[in-house]
Amino acid sequence: AAAAEPERFGRIVLAGVGANLFRHDDSMLAVADALDAGDAGQPVARYFLDHAARSGTDPKALARLLREHRPEVTAENYARLTMPALVVIGSEDFAGPGDPLVEALPDAKLVTLRGVDHFSTPKNFGFLDAALEFVGAA
């Protein structure tokens, strides 16, 4: 959304993303296969299966979402994001590290949460504090 209409954003916070945005592999297809099979042996699939069970979401619908083709994000997209950006990622996050994303953004700061994985980031007080401080600094 910010790349499509950057003028609508004064600041952005990006959490749980980093080097994964530059990877163009099929790693999430294995997770989708595990969701379809109900196989909780893979940690990421187990997380999605647990989430589906708690929320009443259909795991097969989540698998379809993971298989959906998404347009590739290009360097030009990142260059358009000239507003201040905060990238927050856990040191144990499979989506990281955050450095490549910070380097691609014209005005970005990185906060790495020690010992935090991908799924713990949104509820981590380090993330919440960093995001609120960053947004409040406008």
Side-chain angles (χ1 to χ4, degrees):
E5 297 184 55
E7 67 281 355
R8 297 184 68 188
F9 295 83
R11 295 176 169 266
I12 57 172
V13 176
L14 304 164
V17 291
N20 66 315
L21 296 178
F22 299 93
R23 293 182 202 121
H24 303 292
D25 60 21
D26 295 329
S27 60
M28 291 310 286
L29 293 179
V31 175
D33 291 343
L35 288 171
D36 275 336
D39 176 9
Q42 185 187 59
V44 176
R46 181 173 44 251
Y47 175 83
F48 281 110
L49 286 167
D50 289 346
H51 171 71
R54 283 191 311 275
S55 66
T57 303
D58 178 5
K60 293 188 184 302
L62 290 173
R64 282 191 303 277
L65 181 66
L66 291 173
R67 286 192 178 98
E68 236 179 57
H69 174 73
R70 288 181 179 42
E72 189 173 318
V73 179
T74 65
E76 292 79 29
N77 294 123
Y78 294 115
R80 293 185 66 186
L81 302 176
T82 59
M83 73 287 292
L86 175 67
V87 176
V88 184
I89 192 161
S91 64
E92 306 306 310
D93 194 328
F94 58 80
D99 304 283
L101 178 56
V102 169
E103 291 168 10
L105 295 167
D107 184 8
K109 174 186 171 189
L110 174 64
V111 172
T112 302
L113 305 172
R114 298 191 85 185
V116 175
D117 66 22
H118 184 75
F119 302 111
S120 300
T121 298
K123 57 190 171 205
N124 182 278
F125 284 111
F127 163 68
L128 296 170
D129 289 343
L132 289 172
E133 180 180 330
F134 180 77
V135 172

